[in-house]
Amino acid sequence: MSIAHNNREAIVEQFNLSSPEDDKVISECQEVCRVYNITPINLFYKWEALQFNASSKAAVSPHFNMDAVGALKAQMQRELAATSSMKKQARGGPPQRFGPGAQRPRQTLTGMANKAVSGAASSGGLKGLSAVKQESGASAGGQAAVQFVDLTPKDASRESGSSWIGVWTKLRVDRYMFESLNERGNALDGMLDELALVIKEHYNLDDISDPSLSTEGTVTTVGRIAEDWESASTSDLKLLPATMVIEPSRGTGSGVRVPLRFADDVRVRGAPKGAGGIGVFPGAVVGLRGKNGGGDWFLVEEMLAMPPLKPPVKSSIPSAAPSMAIACGPYTAAADLDFKPWKNLLSRLIAERPKVVLLIGPFIDLNHGQMRDGNIDKSLDEMFEDIFLNPIVREFLATCSDSTVLLLPSVLDAISSYAVFPQAPFELGAHHPRIHLLANPSTFSLNGTTIAASSVDVLFHLGKQEHFFEIPEASDEAPPSGDEVKSDPTARRCRHLLQQRSFYPIYPVPPEVSNHVNLDLTHRRALKTDDSAGVAREIFITPSQLWQFCKMVDSTLFINPGQVMKGSYALGQLGQTLDFELKKLD
């Protein structure tokens, strides 16, 4: 089947053109798609934008006919001319200043990446480059080669239709901020149905009941914990039992929220041994056993904790254990843009020569006072080039000829084109072969060691939202735990990320931190912390403003490297035994 035929079918479907009189309109649309090299779906988006343009409503026909095609072609020509003018201005114009009222620019960074690499090559900095993945297992100097494999799901496309029947499309991939209420509802339902199946299989449940239906006997339901905003006080900062509701999926209970009441002798089943209870928060998926006697609320007699992930197992043992450094922004003090902490870190990295360096944003923080006031004298891409890219290429990579640098962005990064979470990688274009650009969040492996990493401070957010029920265990058969969860809230919150199978399990995002997350649930596949077999990652990197730590939680090593501006980073060894420690900058 030809491309033209496929385009014709797509145009007919998108614009609902079915009558014989529409043949000329369809042919004209095919020609527009060919000339402007766009797909029918993108042509339809442009038509929608033209309709919603306030200045054009009076001039554009509400029906898609030849007049509408003409108006659409004229608008596309104006956009093309404006884009060409902006490119010319960017090549020859003066440095821009960005103040509080300025729009966030879209950065491609391609030119500066090429310039940094070519500059390093001219100074001899690219001599002796080794491939990141080497079959021999050795590199220059006799040290271990680093085998990098990106494990981040590639199907982070938007969902269409009912998520429980697995209808997936690749429409609008990476077209962020196009999320509709229906898409978000389908994504939430899909996440809930997947976790409900995990609970059903783990606890050998025959059925999952609707909590809104009156029952005489005890039933089991699964849903998402939420807060009844009408009952909650505006001064309440945390979730409280009196305002909790359970929200089942639309397939189980039509999505109707049911208030919860807790029996005096309520117990927990499936919590780690010694936990002393269970923690919940808005968005947490839990199983509940109890009954609805009158239809107004559900009486909880037993809470079922989310089952743990399968422990990670190494498929092969590397020939050597490469060293790895982990650092997280901000990289400059709050009072200036001198980036002295970053320069100190770079000097330390050159001296320590780790095989892998993971740098996590924000690199140029939008919330920095100098940035908000517009007190900068160069463009954002020039700042990133001068402060980060050039020193990484010309100083660190030129000195450490077989090291690898991983760059992971932040929602608060001024140089990122995507201000939502999940977040696409930086757009460096052609860049240094030993610099890898990661999505946020990201999962990858280094010499067979699986790693999950994100820049969102989810632990701090969980600490503000979690309510811990101090209740006894329903049986003595609790899963073992390597730490005392009751006395260690940090370990308990780390465990939430594993059990809920999500980099950000809180929903909705707390209003006071919503601009730090900008959660886009229609890319929910990119939020999964486990692999397709339900196996946990060996290392989980979760930067936080909380006190830095390295902590083993359920066979996964959690690392909070702290912030470079506070003089903290992490350094350790990968391999069969993971050995990391927190380091201080001078």
Side-chain angles (χ1 to χ4, degrees):
M1 188 176 292
S2 66
I3 296 177
H5 183 73
N6 286 336
N7 280 349
R8 181 181 179 86
E9 289 186 346
I11 290 169
V12 170
E13 179 181 356
Q14 292 297 328
F15 293 95
N16 194 23
L17 303 174
S18 56
S19 64
E21 294 80 12
D22 294 329
D23 285 344
K24 188 176 181 180
V25 176
I26 296 172
S27 299
E28 191 68 19
C29 288
Q30 286 180 289
E31 181 65 14
V32 171
C33 290
R34 185 190 66 81
V35 171
Y36 290 93
N37 192 27
I38 63 174
T39 62
I41 184 66
N42 283 334
L43 183 67
F44 180 71
Y45 293 151
K46 290 183 178 294
W47 165 242
E48 281 187 325
L50 186 62
Q51 283 184 305
F52 281 106
N53 189 321
S55 63
S56 304
K57 281 184 178 179
V60 178
S61 170
H63 304 290
F64 195 75
N65 49 28
M66 287 301 297
D67 292 338
V69 175
L72 186 57
K73 289 170 63 177
Q75 176 65 21
M76 293 173 65
Q77 186 61 37
R78 287 192 294 268
E79 292 177 356
L80 186 62
T83 302
S84 177
S85 176
M86 290 176 61
K87 288 182 178 179
K88 291 180 180 179
Q89 183 179 5
R91 286 194 295 266
Q96 299 177 355
R97 294 178 63 86
F98 302 99
Q103 289 186 347
R104 185 168 178 173
R106 179 179 177 87
Q107 307 290 335
T108 61
L109 307 179
T110 304
M112 68 174 181
N114 293 333
K115 185 164 62 174
V117 174
S118 61
S122 63
S123 62
L126 297 184
K127 292 181 179 179
L129 280 183
S130 61
V132 174
K133 184 173 182 178
Q134 300 182 6
E135 299 298 332
S136 62
S139 61
Q143 298 185 18
V146 178
Q147 299 182 9
F148 171 86
V149 179
D150 189 0
L151 304 177
T152 303
K154 297 299 187 294
D155 61 344
S157 58
R158 294 185 176 267
E159 303 170 15
S160 173
S162 302
S163 57
W164 54 84
I165 60 175
V167 180
W168 295 85
T169 68
K170 291 189 176 181
L171 298 178
R172 297 194 284 181
V173 174
D174 289 338
R175 292 178 64 90
Y176 291 104
M177 310 308 291
F178 277 81
E179 184 183 50
S180 68
L181 291 177
N182 185 57
E183 287 175 321
R184 173 162 290 207
N186 287 339
L188 288 169
D189 247 20
M191 297 165 65
L192 183 51
D193 286 334
E194 289 177 4
L195 295 182
L197 182 60
V198 172
I199 292 178
K200 183 178 180 180
E201 293 178 349
H202 180 78
Y203 291 100
N204 297 319
L205 304 178
D206 295 330
D207 193 19
I208 296 177
S209 301
D210 181 356
S212 65
L213 299 179
S214 299
T215 58
E216 295 182 359
T218 299
V219 297
T220 303
T221 187
V222 176
R224 182 180 290 107
I225 294 293
E227 185 172 17
D228 183 0
W229 294 104
E230 295 181 357
S231 302
S233 169
T234 55
S235 61
D236 292 338
L237 298 178
K238 285 191 176 184
L239 188 68
L240 297 175
T243 61
M244 287 185 191
V245 297
I246 185 75
E247 180 185 301
S249 68
R250 286 180 287 186
T252 300
S254 302
V256 176
R257 292 185 171 185
V258 180
L260 297 178
R261 299 292 183 269
F262 296 88
D264 294 337
D265 58 346
V266 62
R267 295 175 179 268
V268 60
R269 185 181 299 274
K273 190 172 183 179
I278 183 174
V280 296
F281 50 88
V285 176
V286 296
L288 302 176
R289 281 179 177 159
K291 53 189 172 184
N292 189 332
D296 293 332
W297 39 267
F298 188 85
L299 179 64
V300 180
E301 300 171 351
E302 187 173 286
M303 304 179 71
L304 307 180
M306 279 295 302
L309 292 174
K310 300 174 184 177
V313 178
K314 286 184 177 295
S315 58
S316 61
I317 300 177
S319 57
S323 56
M324 180 179 184
I326 306 169
C328 179
Y331 291 90
T332 188
D336 57 60
L337 289 174
D338 294 338
F339 288 89
K340 184 178 179 180
W342 157 246
K343 296 173 184 176
N344 293 339
L345 173 66
L346 185 63
S347 299
R348 183 73 66 86
L349 294 177
I350 293 174
E352 293 172 339
R353 303 173 66 90
K355 292 300 176 186
V356 182
V357 176
L358 173 60
L359 300 177
I360 302 174
F363 293 89
I364 300 177
D365 190 355
L366 278 172
N367 285 342
H368 194 282
Q370 301 286 344
M371 293 292 298
R372 289 199 304 265
D373 296 339
N375 295 331
I376 55 176
D377 56 1
K378 58 178 67 175
S379 64
L380 299 177
D381 54 354
E382 289 174 333
M383 288 181 64
F384 184 74
E385 176 185 6
D386 295 341
I387 298 169
F388 292 98
L389 193 60
N390 279 342
I392 289 174
V393 173
R394 297 176 180 174
E395 298 179 34
F396 177 73
L397 291 179
T399 304
C400 307
S401 60
D402 54 358
S403 293
T404 301
V405 175
L406 313 177
L407 301 181
L408 191 151
S410 165
V411 174
L412 299 177
D413 259 311
I415 59 170
S416 175
S417 301
Y418 302 98
V420 293
F421 185 77
Q423 183 179 17
F426 286 135
E427 296 176 326
L428 282 182
H431 54 277
H432 195 288
R434 285 185 285 129
I435 294 179
H436 291 273
L437 309 178
L438 305 181
N440 177 32
S442 182
T443 51
F444 54 94
S445 70
L446 297 171
N447 277 17
T449 300
T450 56
I451 301 173
S454 168
S455 64
V456 173
D457 193 351
V458 62
L459 296 183
F460 180 72
H461 300 173
L462 280 170
K464 298 185 68 175
Q465 295 292 311
E466 183 192 36
H467 176 82
F468 185 73
F469 284 93
E470 291 192 30
I471 53 179
E473 298 172 1
S475 68
D476 296 332
E477 298 180 0
S481 175
D483 51 76
E484 287 295 328
V485 186
K486 185 176 180 180
S487 60
D488 190 350
T490 301
R492 185 176 69 241
R493 291 159 192 161
C494 290
R495 184 171 285 105
H496 286 319
L497 305 182
L498 299 177
Q499 292 180 334
Q500 297 291 324
R501 278 81 167 160
S502 175
F503 279 96
Y504 199 86
I506 305 172
Y507 186 82
V509 178
E512 64 272 16
V513 295
S514 59
N515 63 320
H516 292 194
V517 183
N518 293 337
L519 187 63
D520 185 356
L521 287 178
T522 50
H523 288 74
R524 66 184 181 90
R525 291 297 176 189
L527 292 172
K528 288 180 65 66
T529 57
D530 58 329
D531 63 13
S532 58
V535 178
R537 311 298 180 179
E538 296 173 71
I539 299 177
F540 202 120
I541 302 168
T542 172
S544 175
Q545 59 183 293
L546 302 176
W547 192 255
Q548 58 268 28
F549 62 84
C550 294
K551 190 181 298 292
M552 187 65 69
V553 179
D554 293 352
S555 303
T556 295
L557 178 63
F558 277 80
I559 301 175
N560 171 20
Q563 298 174 334
V564 172
M565 77 170 186
K566 296 181 180 179
S568 175
Y569 72 105
L571 182 67
Q573 296 285 332
L574 303 175
Q576 189 173 11
T577 302
L578 303 176
D579 183 16
F580 277 80
E581 62 177 333
L582 300 169
K583 308 281 284 187
K584 285 291 184 181
L585 296 171
D586 298 332

